[in-house]
Amino acid sequence: MIFAANFKMHHTRASTTEYLDQLDKLLAEAEYPFKTIVFPPATALQPSREWITVGAQNAYPEERGAFTGEIGLDQLKEFGLDTVLIGHSERRNILGEEQEFLAKKFAFYAGHGFQIVYCVGEPLEVREAGDEAVAEYLWEQFDGIDLDYERLVVAYEPIWAIGTGRAAKVEEIAATHAELRRRIARPILYGGSVKPTNIKEIASVKDVDGVLVGGASLEVESFFSLMVAIAPPQV
Ligand code: PEP
């Protein structure tokens, strides 16, 4: 099971450091078999901890260069990082990143051996059009993406469930993950309003290999409680 935390534009460098210190300690004590990834904002990037992989929420597909406001491979390598999030709906829809550009990012960071958490997700009108429409929409978001890449982790995040408090129903998650599983052998995470109250039922869905969490990951106690809900630490 993978637990990934997406801080988005929350937390500072100081609060991220404090968060990672606290979480790493809790994870060391609990000795969970889970894999934990934290994506802080770019200003708070720092080396991974013993029990936590730190990843970048975004990175430009170049080593360095004239790309104002971006960070690239050189900046990530300085911290020894090799995990990146690509295709989050906020980058697709708010920052206007198109599929061709996402595929370029994917190919670049895959070419450098990165672990890539690659996000896909449909808007509400597509969900309302039914499973077939959802499948068609999602597969288009894999255009140009190597589904056999060995360090690929997919995150299915229905846009209408992100930050809304309304997670997808277990049947919707099960059907969508089963569809993705037809062609994806790598881990598939679910994301969208995962919280301590629904983690258990979401984690029990077949083909859910982990979760990508926004709001409920911002406090250490809340993020850790997702893991505790699945496996209370042995005392
Ligand atoms: C996300 O943005 O990746 C996300 C899943 O957010 P939230 O958990 O707040 O819905």
Side-chain angles (χ1 to χ4, degrees):
M1 187 86 185
I2 298 172
F3 287 84
N6 177 13
F7 284 1
K8 311 190 186 192
M9 207 171 71
H10 297 283
H11 277 296
T12 61
R13 183 163 192 77
S15 68
T16 298
T17 302
E18 198 180 319
Y19 182 108
L20 294 173
D21 286 346
Q22 282 179 19
L23 183 60
D24 205 45
K25 193 159 170 275
L26 288 169
L27 292 171
E29 283 161 8
E31 289 187 23
Y32 279 140
F34 306 139
K35 226 176 128 177
T36 306
I37 308 173
V38 173
F39 295 99
T43 54
L45 288 176
Q46 48 194 285
S48 293
R49 303 300 173 91
E50 190 178 355
W51 299 89
I52 307 165
T53 298
V54 173
Q57 291 175 24
N58 176 48
Y60 197 82
E62 290 286 347
E63 291 173 21
R64 68 195 73 86
F67 304 101
T68 302
E70 294 291 310
I71 59 167
L73 185 64
D74 279 358
Q75 286 76 36
L76 300 183
K77 276 192 0 201
E78 183 177 24
F79 299 111
L81 302 183
D82 68 349
T83 295
V84 65
L85 192 64
I86 294 178
H88 192 281
S89 61
E90 287 154 16
R91 294 216 61 94
R92 291 179 189 264
N93 301 331
I94 302 174
L95 282 306
E97 293 191 356
E98 304 215 332
Q99 190 58 34
E100 203 181 323
F101 182 57
L102 297 173
K104 195 174 160 190
K105 276 193 192 186
F106 188 98
F108 180 83
Y109 283 100
H112 287 278
F114 271 53
Q115 168 171 252
I116 298 174
V117 179
Y118 184 76
C119 306
V120 294
E122 81 287 353
L124 190 56
E125 64 270 20
V126 174
R127 169 53 65 186
E128 284 172 349
D131 285 349
E132 232 172 87
V134 171
E136 195 183 322
Y137 189 92
L138 297 182
W139 287 123
E140 276 177 17
Q141 295 190 317
F142 285 105
D143 265 3
I145 303 300
D146 177 6
L147 298 181
D148 296 322
Y149 177 53
E150 68 216 6
R151 300 200 71 203
L152 165 68
V153 175
V154 167
Y156 166 56
E157 299 206 302
I159 298 169
W160 46 274
I162 295 178
T164 59
R166 174 189 165 191
K169 296 195 195 92
V170 287
E171 307 82 60
E172 292 168 328
I173 300 173
T176 310
H177 281 232
E179 169 65 22
L180 296 176
R181 180 61 78 219
R182 288 194 309 111
R183 289 167 56 194
I184 297 168
R186 305 295 307 145
I188 305 174
L189 316 183
Y190 167 78
S193 296
V194 172
K195 353 175 227 244
T197 48
N198 61 18
I199 180 68
K200 228 174 157 175
E201 63 169 356
I202 289 173
S204 67
V205 175
K206 188 167 179 281
D207 293 319
V208 169
D209 303 308
V211 285
L212 176 56
V213 189
S217 74
L218 295 180
E219 304 289 334
V220 177
E221 297 73 21
S222 165
F223 189 48
F224 187 67
S225 75
L226 300 176
M227 302 179 205
V228 173
I230 292 181
Q234 306 299 316
V235 275

